[in-house]
Amino acid sequence: MSKFFLRAAVAVVISVGASWASAQSSYPIKVGLMLPSSGTFANLGKDVMDGFKLYVTEQGGKLGGRPVEYIALDDESDPSKANENANKLVKRDKVDVLIGTIHSGVAATMAKVARETNTLMIVPNAGAGEITGSMCAPNVFRSSFSNWQPGYAAGLLAAKKHKTAVTISWKYAAGNESVKGFREGFEKGGGKVLTDLNLPFPGVEFQPLLAQLATIKPEAAYVFVAGAAQVKFVKDYAAAGLKTSIPLYGAFITEGTLAAQGDAAAGLLTTLHYADGLKNPKNDKFMAAYTKAYGAAPNVFGVQGYDAAQMYDVGLKAVKGDTKKKAEIYKAIEISKIDSPRGPLTFSKSHNPIQDFYVRVARGNQNVMTDTIVKGLVDPSPDCKL
Ligand code: PHB
């Protein structure tokens, strides 16, 4: 081949490559948002979505330099529909990333689909241990917590003042694991859990359990119910006269619902990886932007959505928006250091957040931070083989 033809051929290849690259970069990233917009977790789903979209808006509507197209569906927090819903997003809609969800059982099924199809998944809430445990995978990450983490932190806190406790929870992965974490922390601090009481998800018939609790008379109680149901739980607890006799501990029990819970929640102590008005420069900016955009202050669910978007952006930027470079995207997220409104956020080898847990007290409409109960808490994830 003459030099001329060689140069011409190279030029053609380069220009085809360049136009392919620029076509690809103007082509939208498809973000699959599989979250509940109905049922007891509807508000949590909205908060996650609002947080995610806020970050994207701050980046001029882009992630990794590419415009973003959202494909959202209501997962109804129904595990029996999870496989079909996740497959719709991955196979029919061909999303580049699965963001979801709130409910541990639904998220575990999504994670199976993500694993099988090598689709990036970022869990912006559900704490199911297996997702970053026995089922952990290079392409599956969490921006939130494992159920064990906040439960363990609450156990450490309760053990500072009490020797005996009873737990109340919904009987599904999140309730079981949260209680397990509480037990571990409480026993580590020298306490003993006397009994675990439970009811089916998403039941709100708390009276029989509260009656049992009153008969057992432990020094403290720990509860895991969540979403809209936690409003009724806290009101029922106060109305039964238990609030003063058996101090109640929780993790999520007052998160995002203080206005609806009113006086019944005043003074309740909880342990989470975020608190209202947390003092750091990132949170100052985040709170202002979130409140401006949505007319209400953010809570932990908004933070987890926002950080899921930050994580994906880090991954995409590492490959200049080229979604085919999957392994490089996963690696970049794995080693990322996210400037989160909760404080610095990094990831364990199982892709679960390493983060501080704060003690919060319910005061007016805020869960105010009073202390840090454990710094840089890592879920041990012994079953994760990555
Ligand atoms: C869960 O199912 O993992 C879950 C749901 C709601 C919460 C926390 C955890 O507030």
Side-chain angles (χ1 to χ4, degrees):
M1 204 187 293
S2 77
K3 264 192 185 162
F4 172 78
F5 278 116
L6 190 61
R7 269 203 216 113
V10 168
V12 168
V13 170
I14 288 171
S15 82
V16 167
S19 63
W20 176 85
S22 71
Q24 145 118 354
S25 64
S26 60
Y27 203 73
I29 294 281
K30 283 192 180 183
V31 174
L33 295 166
M34 184 163 153
L35 292 162
S37 50
S38 58
T40 192
F41 292 156
N43 285 344
L44 287 61
K46 180 182 183 310
D47 295 342
V48 163
M49 200 180 305
D50 284 351
F52 192 99
K53 290 185 173 175
L54 176 64
Y55 179 78
V56 175
T57 305
E58 288 175 356
Q59 311 311 304
K62 294 189 171 182
L63 284 175
R66 287 175 57 183
V68 172
E69 178 187 341
Y70 295 110
I71 300 157
L73 64 77
D74 178 7
D75 69 37
E76 303 169 57
S77 296
D78 184 347
S80 75
K81 298 183 181 160
N83 186 55
E84 191 185 333
N85 280 333
N87 270 300
K88 260 189 212 161
L89 290 174
V90 171
K91 294 188 181 145
R92 182 194 64 189
D93 301 323
K94 306 215 169 349
V95 298
D96 295 299
V97 64
L98 271 178
I99 304 293
T101 187
I102 304 298
H103 184 287
S104 270
V106 177
T109 299
M110 287 176 75
K112 283 198 189 97
V113 174
R115 255 178 87 126
E116 282 159 19
T117 57
N118 192 15
T119 306
L120 174 63
M121 172 174 178
I122 305 176
V123 182
N125 185 70
E130 62 183 327
I131 294 175
T132 50
S134 58
M135 285 174 51
C136 72
N139 57 311
V140 177
F141 294 84
R142 187 139 50 194
S143 66
S144 51
F145 55 90
S146 71
N147 289 318
W148 174 87
Q149 285 181 312
Y152 177 76
L156 291 178
L157 176 66
K160 290 189 167 210
K161 283 205 184 146
H162 313 286
K163 286 271 166 271
T164 58
V166 163
T167 69
I168 300 182
S169 66
W170 273 330
K171 201 168 177 47
Y172 82 114
N176 304 343
E177 293 169 3
S178 178
V179 161
K180 198 162 168 252
F182 176 82
R183 179 189 294 273
E184 204 179 310
F186 196 56
E187 286 177 357
K188 188 168 185 215
K192 185 168 169 31
V193 174
L194 304 178
T195 318
D196 297 322
L197 304 174
N198 41 58
L199 76 166
F201 171 86
V204 291
E205 296 306 318
F206 303 124
Q207 294 303 344
L209 304 183
L210 297 180
Q212 270 178 276
L213 177 69
T215 337
I216 304 170
K217 291 198 179 59
E219 286 181 29
Y222 174 72
V223 62
F224 178 91
V225 295
Q230 72 197 32
V231 175
K232 179 166 187 296
F233 184 90
V234 165
K235 287 189 165 175
D236 285 2
Y237 201 85
L242 290 167
K243 204 179 151 195
T244 42
S245 56
I246 306 177
L248 179 66
Y249 292 80
F252 293 93
I253 194 74
T254 54
E255 190 65 12
T257 47
L258 283 172
Q261 289 165 322
D263 279 352
L268 288 186
L269 293 179
T270 50
T271 48
L272 277 185
H273 43 294
Y274 185 64
D276 292 319
L278 198 64
K279 271 287 153 218
N280 67 57
K282 182 73 178 190
N283 193 40
D284 289 347
K285 274 194 234 144
F286 171 71
M287 285 194 310
Y290 191 101
T291 309
K292 185 163 177 239
Y294 305 115
N299 55 39
V300 77
F301 308 108
V303 173
Q304 292 167 176
Y306 187 84
D307 288 342
Q310 293 211 73
M311 288 161 68
Y312 191 32
D313 198 29
V314 165
L316 284 174
K317 279 185 175 144
V319 295
K320 300 197 170 57
D322 185 350
T323 47
K324 285 195 300 310
K325 296 187 172 158
K326 292 190 176 197
E328 286 171 55
I329 295 177
Y330 306 157
K331 195 79 221 159
I333 300 176
E334 190 170 84
I335 61 172
S336 65
K337 291 188 173 59
I338 303 288
D339 184 13
S340 167
R342 76 189 83 179
L345 171 62
T346 56
F347 301 92
S348 64
K349 68 164 187 19
S350 65
H351 299 170
N352 201 54
I354 301 175
Q355 54 197 346
D356 296 350
F357 277 81
Y358 306 113
V359 179
R360 308 114 43 88
V361 59
R363 237 179 245 152
N365 276 350
Q366 291 204 319
N367 290 296
V368 180
M369 180 217 178
T370 59
D371 200 359
T372 303
I373 186 74
V374 49
K375 278 190 97 52
L377 184 62
V378 180
D379 184 307
S381 315
D383 298 331
C384 171
K385 309 281 179 251
L386 269 188

